[in-house]
Amino acid sequence: MPIIAANFKTNHTRASTAKYISLVNNYLKTNSTSEVYIFPTATSLDEYETVLNLSIGVQNAYPTKKGSFTGEIGTEQLDEFFIKTILIGHSERRHILGETQEAIAQKFQYFKELGYKIIYCIGEPLEVKEQGLQSTLEYLWEQLVGIDTTYDKLILAYEPVWAIGTGVTATVEDISNIHNAIKKEINKPLLYGGSVNFGNIEKICAIPNVDGALIGTASWVAEDFIKIIETTKEL
């Protein structure tokens, strides 16, 4: 069963998210064997009707129940909507918002102890990729410091930073090399992310050791996301 996840990032409103989830949910009622995750903005979280293979998650949260953390949300807010799935370690939070590996590991440990399903992201910038496979792998292993890779509710996502939102997708060889190396060390579902779209999703998911995809821009239109699910459901 492929795992297909949509990361809305800072897109959609509460109203458009409700319409989107309703469309996807209605499709999944009769049409798919995929495991599907949707990560809307925090302001769009709600008690949505979902089938068993559709989970709504949060893109980010602070490792606390509640408290004096301006601009953040904690588990008290997530519990209101029965959210038990979270993205951690996304490159935009690492490179744009300055999250350190220490802070990311602390967040991982907190949500692990609460039994959350965690999609944990790793990926290298272009300057590291250009140094070769060994340097890339060393960089990725550093992003796993402090992370319990044996956690039973862990899903990994490899997202090369140079391919996120750029329109540049890693080659089959690029993806194979990284996914094979990670799978040798960590026996967990492993998604690929980075300019994934309807045109390349089937080829990407057919690569050995690719268990699905974490999709940004190409997932923001519900009908397009449904096409992606439809394309991958039998893989």
Side-chain angles (χ1 to χ4, degrees):
M1 178 185 295
I3 299 169
I4 306 296
N7 179 9
F8 284 9
K9 305 187 180 185
T10 313
N11 295 278
H12 276 295
T13 63
R14 189 176 182 86
S16 66
T17 298
K19 181 178 179 180
Y20 181 110
I21 292 174
S22 177
L23 288 171
V24 174
N25 188 61
N26 287 339
Y27 166 82
L28 291 174
K29 285 178 179 178
T30 56
N31 288 285
S32 180
T33 57
S34 300
E35 185 177 340
V36 179
Y37 295 86
I38 296 174
F39 293 90
T41 62
T43 57
S44 299
L45 297 177
D46 205 343
E47 293 183 57
Y48 295 106
E49 176 195 354
T50 57
V51 292
L52 289 177
N53 57 328
L54 172 60
S55 297
I56 308 300
V58 65
Q59 297 175 24
N60 178 59
Y62 198 78
T64 188
K65 180 178 180 180
K66 60 181 180 178
S68 301
F69 304 101
T70 300
E72 297 286 349
I73 58 174
T75 56
E76 183 173 75
Q77 290 79 50
L78 300 182
D79 289 347
E80 182 178 8
F81 304 116
F82 306 100
I83 302 295
K84 295 294 285 186
T85 303
I86 187 170
L87 276 178
I88 295 179
H90 194 281
S91 64
E92 289 162 359
R93 296 207 60 84
R94 294 178 188 268
H95 298 289
I96 298 175
L97 297 166
E99 285 194 356
T100 65
Q101 185 60 30
E102 181 180 6
I104 290 168
Q106 179 187 13
K107 186 182 297 184
F108 183 96
Q109 181 64 26
Y110 181 85
F111 287 98
K112 169 196 162 185
E113 291 177 356
L114 293 176
Y116 274 61
K117 176 71 66 70
I118 298 173
I119 296 184
Y120 185 80
C121 304
I122 58 176
E124 83 284 5
L126 183 59
E127 60 268 24
V128 173
K129 178 191 185 307
E130 291 176 339
Q131 295 171 20
L133 179 60
Q134 188 56 41
S135 293
T136 297
L137 291 173
E138 289 174 0
Y139 188 92
L140 298 180
W141 301 146
E142 289 176 0
Q143 293 184 325
L144 291 164
V145 171
I147 304 302
D148 179 7
T149 57
T150 68
Y151 178 47
D152 62 343
K153 295 182 180 180
L154 169 65
I155 297 171
L156 290 174
Y158 168 60
E159 294 194 299
V161 178
W162 48 271
I164 297 176
T166 63
V168 178
T169 307
T171 66
V172 170
E173 183 181 10
D174 287 333
I175 298 170
S176 294
N177 287 340
I178 299 299
H179 277 241
N180 290 342
I182 293 172
K183 281 282 195 171
K184 285 180 181 178
E185 303 296 328
I186 305 169
N187 184 26
K188 292 295 176 185
L190 179 57
L191 313 183
Y192 173 76
S195 295
V196 178
N197 55 51
F198 175 70
N200 60 30
I201 183 70
E202 188 171 7
K203 179 177 70 174
I204 289 171
C205 286
I207 299 171
N209 289 323
V210 173
D211 300 309
L214 176 57
I215 306 165
T217 307
S219 73
W220 296 344
V221 175
E223 291 81 0
D224 292 344
F225 189 55
I226 289 170
K227 288 179 183 177
I228 288 172
I229 299 170
E230 176 69 21
T231 299
T232 60
K233 69 179 184 179
E234 302 298 337
L235 295 177

